[in-house]
Amino acid sequence: MSTKQSQKDYSIYFQPPSLTDAKKRGKEDIKVHYDFDIPLELKELGKDKFYLIQTYGCQMNEHDTETIMGLLEQMGYQPTGDRHQADIILLNTCAVRENAEDKVFGELGHLKHLKTAKPSLILGVCGCMSQEEAVVNRISRKHPFVDLIFGTHNIHRLPNLIKEALFSKEMVVEVWSKEGDIIENLPKKREGMKAWLNIMYGCDKFCTYCIVPYTRGKERSRRPQDVIAEVRELARQGFKEIMLLGQNVNAYGKDFEDISYRFGDLMEDIRKIDLPRVRFTTSHPRDFDDHLIEVLAKKGNLMDHIHLPVQSGSNEILKKMTRKYTREHYLELVGKIKQAIPNVALTTDIIVGFPGETDEQFEETITLVKEVQYDSAYTFIYSAREGTPAAAMEDNVPYEVKRDRLIRLNDTLNVYSKRNNERLLGQTVEVLVEGESKYNPDILAGRTRTNKLVHFAGSKELIGQFVNIKIVEAPTFYLKGELVGMAVAN
Ligand code: 5AD
Ligand code: SF4
């Protein structure tokens, strides 16, 4: 745990995150705690008060927000969508690219007016940005009206920190530079038919462009019995789909010293639980093993979709990124997956304009996309993150070139998205009906086993149910279908 060090400007204590220390981390013991509770006196603090949380970034952050909501509601706070009604507003932030950070700084500018109009409002910043020393310094200098900053490793301290913030005139900053223990029984506020669930925390891959290993700490897997108990509980509560979360789920269990139990074993055990749909994200090609492919091929409640970030199709760039696999290894893995799970949907993440990326190296990404024929992809322009090894590399690709590469890449990806969608024309597929379409309340929206969005006309009573849909149109980004009848999942 962090040693605390007093800082003149901060009302409590703050040890700045150290990127150098993060890289040196070793095999310190991670303890698992099962006895979390909120002290009685803090349970009254939020009585008759309202909270609002704005979440940025990945599903891990969305899930952290559910924990924060759970904590706040145990303190008596109630949710509101109205900023003027809120007594506490938290920004749960993302640090993965610069534009995500810019959005948060812009938002702080807007919130300043609210704070001036209502001084009792508690304004807080949490999530990945808080783990960055430069961000904390910038907020304390330029946005001194912020009341509270806490990080990703001490969410469970929120009730105590809110108390500090309520009774202190100075900014309360508590960020742990080291990850700390796993706390099992934190409350979580889940809604709807789909639930997120962490199987592990942190990342030890240290891809050279990525800030996550610093902001989220070292890889720590939850014990299998705890994950399985939570899955069973979610099944009992009637959730239709769960998403297992980890920065690199394929590294699950690598840190267990007493048992040999990996992600494939976990999926084999979860497969037997009566819960209709199980998904996971994110995979790393390096750790994706044959046993896992074998288990996923048994299907049942394990869905036919794998998100397999490739980042680049060039071996030189993959090496500079320290991805620890080659283009050939990646393509071989894709081949094995497609053979074992013939109708699998593959999606990916790709970065263009990594420092030094040449036209030829970018072309290798295009040829890889053509070979894999992804169903869809998240594509990004490289963004330098302070403290990461890539930030020290010469970023010699002009912005216009990066932007043109992104456009070309997306155009290429879209060809295959459409082509893969067209393959489904005339077929009948199982769809979990998730709700009304965003654009037309008379149309329902749902997802196939391969995670494709499907629109069709039907009664609202179908929401939350499994139906069979015949695909009649295949635009690039979704499918249109007709209701054939009810489906029995699995
Ligand atoms: N610049 C651009 N994209 C990034 N990603 C991670 N770090 C960066 C960065 N510095 C992308 C990767 C990752 C996804 C979540 O975000 O593609 O898989
Ligand atoms: Fe970042 Fe690489 Fe870890 Fe993914 S595997 S979180 S890209 S360091």
Side-chain angles (χ1 to χ4, degrees):
M1 198 92 16
S2 67
T3 48
K4 290 177 173 180
Q5 147 195 337
S6 182
Q7 293 239 339
K8 216 163 77 198
D9 297 341
Y10 304 144
S11 64
I12 59 165
Y13 307 103
F14 169 53
Q15 185 188 13
S18 158
L19 304 187
T20 325
D21 287 354
K23 282 184 224 156
K24 279 193 249 152
R25 66 198 173 204
K27 282 223 163 226
E28 301 89 344
D29 245 11
I30 297 284
K31 290 196 185 64
V32 186
H33 300 266
Y34 297 92
D35 55 356
F36 175 82
D37 201 8
I38 299 179
L40 215 54
E41 86 264 16
L42 300 182
K43 283 190 174 158
E44 293 287 306
L45 270 187
K47 200 162 166 273
D48 301 324
K49 290 187 181 165
F50 292 89
Y51 73 86
L52 190 155
I53 307 175
Q54 281 176 219
T55 310
Y56 303 79
C58 66
Q59 302 186 36
M60 192 72 77
N61 254 21
E62 299 270 0
H63 188 40
D64 282 350
T65 290
E66 292 181 335
T67 304
I68 295 171
M69 293 199 292
L71 289 167
L72 290 172
E73 294 196 11
Q74 286 204 349
M75 294 174 73
Y77 284 97
Q78 298 162 59
T80 178
D82 177 0
R83 292 171 152 216
H84 298 280
Q85 190 185 33
D87 299 283
I88 178 164
I89 298 181
L90 298 176
L91 305 185
N92 189 3
T93 63
C94 167
V96 87
R97 281 170 296 276
E98 198 178 352
N99 55 4
E101 296 203 350
D102 290 345
K103 271 192 218 155
V104 170
F105 285 119
E107 195 56 35
L108 283 176
H110 299 141
L111 291 171
K112 185 178 179 182
H113 305 291
L114 272 184
K115 177 76 187 175
T116 314
K118 183 177 176 182
S120 66
L121 170 69
I122 299 280
L123 268 185
V125 176
C126 58
C128 286
M129 278 172 71
S130 314
Q131 294 293 142
E132 291 180 278
E133 186 180 355
V135 168
V136 175
N137 290 337
R138 179 167 163 188
I139 294 177
S140 69
R141 264 187 293 119
K142 296 202 174 151
H143 306 277
F145 53 89
V146 169
D147 300 284
L148 169 63
I149 304 180
F150 61 100
T152 55
H153 304 315
N154 59 340
I155 291 175
H156 62 285
R157 293 262 310 139
L158 182 60
N160 305 70
L161 297 176
I162 291 179
K163 183 179 167 203
E164 291 271 356
L166 281 169
F167 296 109
S168 158
K169 287 205 166 52
E170 288 171 80
M171 190 185 289
V172 173
V173 181
E174 190 180 290
V175 178
W176 295 0
S177 59
K178 294 193 85 183
E179 46 281 328
D181 295 340
I182 292 179
I183 302 183
E184 269 303 330
N185 59 328
L186 289 174
K188 294 180 187 85
K189 186 186 179 190
R190 291 182 167 113
E191 285 165 331
M193 67 197 81
K194 303 209 277 187
W196 289 301
L197 142 83
N198 285 112
I199 62 166
M200 59 191 302
Y201 304 94
C203 180
D204 281 350
K205 278 283 180 278
F206 290 102
C207 301
T208 54
Y209 51 82
C210 187
I211 194 84
V212 169
Y214 314 101
T215 60
R216 290 276 171 179
K218 76 169 179 172
E219 250 163 40
R220 293 97 78 206
S221 304
R222 287 178 67 198
R223 301 297 300 182
Q225 65 271 24
D226 295 333
V227 175
I228 288 165
E230 191 169 356
V231 175
R232 288 221 167 90
E233 175 57 20
L234 293 170
R236 196 193 60 76
Q237 290 174 14
F239 282 95
K240 298 288 191 310
E241 179 173 312
I242 57 168
M243 173 70 92
L244 309 176
L245 297 176
Q247 309 296 347
N248 168 10
V249 290
N250 306 87
Y252 178 80
K254 264 185 156 180
D255 53 326
F256 294 150
E257 284 180 355
D258 54 336
I259 49 171
S260 160
Y261 187 95
R262 301 293 304 275
F263 189 52
D265 301 307
L266 183 68
M267 292 306 266
E268 177 63 35
D269 283 340
I270 291 180
R271 196 174 73 77
K272 295 171 192 148
I273 298 175
D274 187 13
L275 198 151
R277 287 187 166 191
V278 179
R279 301 186 188 278
F280 57 93
T281 199
T282 287
S283 290
H284 192 295
R286 158 93 180 200
D287 299 318
F288 211 110
D289 59 41
D290 290 349
H291 178 228
L292 176 62
I293 300 178
E294 208 180 287
V295 174
L296 295 178
K298 296 181 188 172
K299 297 190 173 213
N301 62 358
L302 308 182
M303 293 297 102
D304 314 334
H305 169 220
I306 297 173
H307 185 65
L308 196 61
V310 67
Q311 312 299 358
S312 168
S314 148
N315 280 339
E316 292 90 6
I317 295 294
L318 288 171
K319 195 155 188 206
K320 281 170 85 175
M321 290 175 162
T322 325
R323 287 291 288 177
K324 301 189 179 108
Y325 55 82
T326 59
R327 172 192 177 98
E328 291 73 29
H329 167 253
Y330 184 90
L331 288 171
E332 189 190 325
L333 176 61
V334 165
K336 274 198 238 172
I337 292 172
K338 282 188 173 176
Q339 195 175 20
I341 314 167
N343 57 347
V344 71
L346 287 175
T347 57
T348 198
D349 293 345
I350 297 174
I351 298 175
V352 299
F354 187 79
E357 186 190 59
T358 63
D359 283 340
E360 292 72 32
Q361 288 165 340
F362 170 68
E363 286 310 317
E364 293 185 75
T365 298
I366 296 285
T367 56
L368 181 127
V369 164
K370 289 181 176 167
E371 209 161 317
V372 178
Q373 309 191 357
Y374 293 105
D375 289 85
S376 70
Y378 295 103
T379 54
F380 310 100
I381 288 181
Y382 168 73
S383 166
R385 307 284 57 221
E386 195 184 328
T388 60
M393 298 177 194
E394 193 195 352
D395 188 359
N396 57 353
V397 187
Y399 183 77
E400 298 69 47
V401 173
K402 292 180 180 171
R403 197 198 47 209
D404 289 350
R405 285 182 190 167
L406 187 73
I407 294 170
R408 178 115 188 277
L409 175 62
N410 287 339
D411 287 348
T412 310
L413 284 158
N414 290 347
V415 170
Y416 297 99
S417 297
K418 185 155 176 61
R419 212 176 273 179
N420 288 337
N421 281 353
E422 280 168 355
R423 288 210 181 101
L424 294 172
L425 281 172
Q427 288 189 30
T428 297
V429 291
E430 175 202 292
V431 168
L432 170 60
V433 188
E434 296 184 358
E436 293 168 7
S437 135
K438 263 194 222 154
Y439 308 103
N440 180 352
D442 296 330
I443 296 291
L444 296 177
R447 298 253 167 201
T448 62
R449 289 176 57 92
T450 49
N451 208 32
K452 288 179 192 280
L453 180 65
V454 181
H455 283 178
F456 67 98
S459 141
K460 311 236 174 311
E461 274 129 51
L462 294 176
I463 294 173
Q465 314 245 25
F466 289 90
V467 291
N468 283 323
I469 300 289
K470 183 173 172 202
I471 303 302
V472 294
E473 262 185 72
T476 309
F477 301 113
Y478 69 110
L479 298 161
K480 283 190 194 170
E482 284 166 3
L483 182 65
V484 174
M486 302 307 289
V488 182
N490 307 314

